Amino acid sequence: MAFSGRFGNLSDTMFRLKPPVDIMVPHAGDGATLKRTLSIWQLAAIGVACTVGTGIFVTFSQVVPAAGPGVLISFVIAGVTAGLTALCYAEVSSKIPSAGSSYSYTYASLGEIAAYLVGWCLLLEYSVSTAAVASGWSGYLNDLLANVVHIDIPDWAAFATHAVYRTVGEGENAQQVYDHIAYGVNFPAVLLVFLCALLLIKGTSESARTNAIMTTIKLAVLAFFAFVAFFGFRASNLHPFAPHGVSGIGTAAGLVFFSYIGMDAVSTAAEEVENPRKALPKALLLALVIVTGIYLLVALAAVGARPSGAFTKNETAPLAAILREVTGWTWTSSLLSAAAVISIFSVTLVTLYGQTRVLHSMSSDGLVPKVFSRVSPRTRTPIGGTVVVALFVAVLTGLVPLDILADFVSLGTLVAFAVVSATVVILRRRGQGEPDSFQVPFYPVLPFASIGACLYLMYTLADSPHGWLTYSMFGVWMTIAVVVYFAYARHHAVLAEQESASAT
């Protein structure tokens, strides 16, 4: 039953839509606007840098024990899901090129409260993703310092509190079993978050150039890894291919999916790219093609060079360890660790960037405090919002272990991706958007296939070791979002102020 409130009927305020033409207007904040400096290749580099990161450098130690060599299929499933969603993103982003990504798309299609909840999913997705990739960066930094300068950071200062596992059995019968809890704070990862925040405060174009350089280095070293690892390739390492069956492959697909947040990060840069209507679809598809090829190449090299039972959940730098095992030389693993330190830095930079831009859009709409949309006239960046985000992420980074963080990111990403796919259908049925915008092929089959794939991976996450915790905490997070919406956002929304002014 609807009732009257400050801005009229409750249902009207919850489901009010923001017209796409308004969403595409640059947000002014306090007078300064975001600067359009990014090209298609820089935008694609953002997607590649954000996607090819912790997922390929770190999560083998989490996903191979779950799926065995069948993790190759897991990467294919995650990649197909991301590909379907990328096509949906390409259409919606060409119709509504805004820095808010799926939050802004939802505001134009499903209404304010749905957009607000998607925004909170994105905040969870980006903040936890940043924490996860920073945590993975710390592991490779420790490996590099230990091999090159023989400095070992104490475990209590290098890792967040986490469960320690031990291997029982050998070969095909090897299993990971719980041993004890190790307490600590991941200080190197916290340092990384603040370094990235400082670079973002300096300016977007500087960050983009740094990211492009780091991405090039990353791709070169991953190619080097695959080349060397294939010398240790043994067909016997691929048997049994799926020791834990289809369910293990599905669970691993859900776990690795968090790295595909790069597809959303591309769209968050809409207000800082030249000609976004044409650039966004091209950059999304270009990034996806590059990423899919890299993931499959490196995954095949990794599981072919090492028995699946040798991957342990405690391992923090699995690719570096594989190179040591194949070559017997420490310099190869040191080179890869150095590249990981550089490249994961770029992933942290991009995910932190994406979160500040989503908050910038939500703040400009009045749904979160104005501190997140105030742009510095000198640097043309949201300094206050970047600082607040960095402090929040630093706490997560230092205290929460990587495996739990990865589950959270996957769930938040899948929810946002499913909503974007639904938005394609809604915008088409309403005839919204420019007629010359990018069109999803095989409509409406492809958008519905994307939604189904996302729902399947969300289901597989329930079978992960932290499935119950992931869904419970996600429920708590969304409950908080609903409370904050009714207590603050609904009354401070720009659309509400516009309705109030027109009523008087």
Side-chain angles (χ1 to χ4, degrees):
M1 176 178 178
F3 59 87
S4 296
R6 180 179 176 185
F7 301 114
N9 188 285
L10 176 61
S11 61
D12 289 342
T13 61
M14 289 172 59
F15 299 106
R16 55 193 168 204
L17 303 176
K18 187 173 182 181
V21 66
D22 291 342
I23 290 176
M24 290 185 285
V25 174
H27 300 305
D30 281 348
T33 59
L34 298 174
K35 188 177 180 181
R36 295 189 181 276
T37 59
L38 304 180
S39 66
I40 291 177
W41 284 101
Q42 286 178 317
L43 201 57
I46 287 177
V48 173
C50 191
T51 306
V52 183
T54 305
I56 202 69
F57 277 106
V58 178
T59 55
F60 281 109
S61 58
Q62 306 297 325
V63 298
V64 175
V71 74
L72 291 169
I73 306 300
S74 301
F75 277 112
V76 171
I77 293 173
V80 169
T81 303
L84 293 172
T85 310
L87 290 170
C88 293
Y89 260 98
E91 175 167 334
V92 180
S93 64
S94 68
K95 290 180 176 179
I96 313 174
S98 168
S101 70
S102 49
Y103 154 75
S104 295
Y105 311 152
T106 308
Y107 214 158
S109 60
L110 298 177
E112 186 172 281
I113 189 169
Y116 190 76
L117 295 179
V118 167
W120 273 66
C121 284
L122 290 175
L123 297 182
L124 174 69
E125 173 186 333
Y126 278 109
S127 59
V128 179
S129 178
T130 306
V133 296
S135 178
W137 179 84
S138 179
Y140 276 97
L141 176 66
N142 295 340
D143 185 84
L144 180 64
L145 292 176
N147 289 328
V148 176
V149 294
H150 306 294
I151 295 177
D152 289 312
I153 302 175
D155 287 351
W156 63 266
F159 303 100
T161 298
H162 62 284
V164 176
Y165 295 84
R166 56 189 174 86
T167 302
V168 175
E170 296 180 356
E172 299 179 4
N173 299 319
Q175 292 183 342
Q176 301 292 305
V177 298
Y178 168 79
D179 190 75
H180 67 280
I181 294 291
Y183 297 93
V185 177
N186 196 331
F187 286 110
V190 172
L191 175 62
L192 174 64
V193 170
F194 285 120
L195 289 175
C196 289
L198 289 174
L199 186 57
L200 288 175
I201 289 172
K202 182 175 176 59
T204 299
S205 59
E206 291 84 353
S207 301
R209 283 194 292 269
T210 302
N211 171 70
I213 294 171
M214 290 179 176
T215 301
T216 302
I217 295 173
K218 169 168 47 182
L219 298 182
V221 173
L222 284 175
F224 170 75
F225 166 81
F227 175 78
V228 175
F230 273 121
F231 281 100
F233 188 92
R234 300 289 184 273
S236 59
N237 289 338
L238 302 181
H239 178 79
F241 187 73
H244 304 294
V246 175
S247 62
I249 292 174
T251 299
L255 292 172
V256 302
F257 193 79
F258 84 93
S259 60
Y260 280 94
I261 191 176
M263 297 300 104
D264 187 89
V266 170
S267 62
T268 64
E271 290 183 27
E272 294 162 274
V273 64
E274 304 163 0
N275 195 0
R277 194 178 299 283
K278 293 184 178 180
L280 284 171
K282 291 180 181 179
L284 279 164
L285 297 177
L286 179 61
L288 180 66
V289 169
I290 295 172
V291 164
T292 302
I294 293 169
Y295 267 41
L296 291 177
L297 178 67
V298 175
L300 179 61
V303 297
R306 181 195 244 190
S308 59
F311 289 86
T312 66
K313 293 183 178 180
N314 299 325
E315 197 169 29
T316 57
L319 298 190
I322 290 173
L323 287 187
R324 276 196 300 270
E325 294 164 2
V326 171
T327 66
W329 301 328
T330 58
W331 72 265
T332 56
S333 63
S334 297
L335 177 63
L336 190 131
S337 293
V341 167
I342 294 172
S343 62
I344 297 178
F345 183 103
S346 71
V347 183
T348 309
L349 181 70
V350 173
T351 53
L352 195 64
Y353 166 88
Q355 186 177 7
T356 61
R357 270 39 180 189
V358 171
L359 280 167
H360 179 272
S361 292
M362 295 180 71
S363 176
S364 298
D365 289 333
L367 300 182
V368 296
K370 290 298 181 185
V371 64
F372 295 104
S373 60
R374 293 194 185 111
V375 176
S376 167
R378 184 175 62 86
T379 65
R380 305 284 287 276
T381 58
I383 294 178
T386 302
V387 171
V388 173
V389 167
L391 290 172
F392 176 67
V393 171
V395 173
L396 286 176
T397 302
L399 300 180
V400 183
L402 175 64
D403 52 350
I404 296 178
L405 291 171
D407 284 2
F408 275 123
V409 179
S410 291
L411 184 56
T413 303
L414 288 165
V415 170
F417 280 16
V419 171
V420 169
S421 301
T423 299
V424 171
V425 179
I426 294 170
L427 292 179
R428 285 273 195 109
R429 291 180 66 87
R430 291 178 180 164
Q432 292 176 290
E434 296 296 326
D436 61 345
S437 61
F438 177 84
Q439 301 287 308
V440 166
F442 308 111
Y443 175 88
V445 174
L446 192 146
F448 283 115
S450 175
I451 295 172
C454 289
L455 292 176
Y456 168 71
L457 291 184
M458 290 167 64
Y459 168 77
T460 66
L461 285 175
D463 293 330
S464 69
H466 304 288
W468 66 271
L469 178 62
T470 301
Y471 275 89
S472 297
M473 293 305 296
F474 184 77
V476 170
W477 178 258
M478 298 311 292
T479 300
I480 295 173
V482 171
V483 171
V484 174
Y485 173 78
F486 285 107
Y488 175 87
R490 186 171 68 93
H491 304 295
H492 291 82
V494 170
L495 290 184
E497 294 175 357
Q498 292 173 352
E499 291 173 2
S500 180
S502 63
T504 58

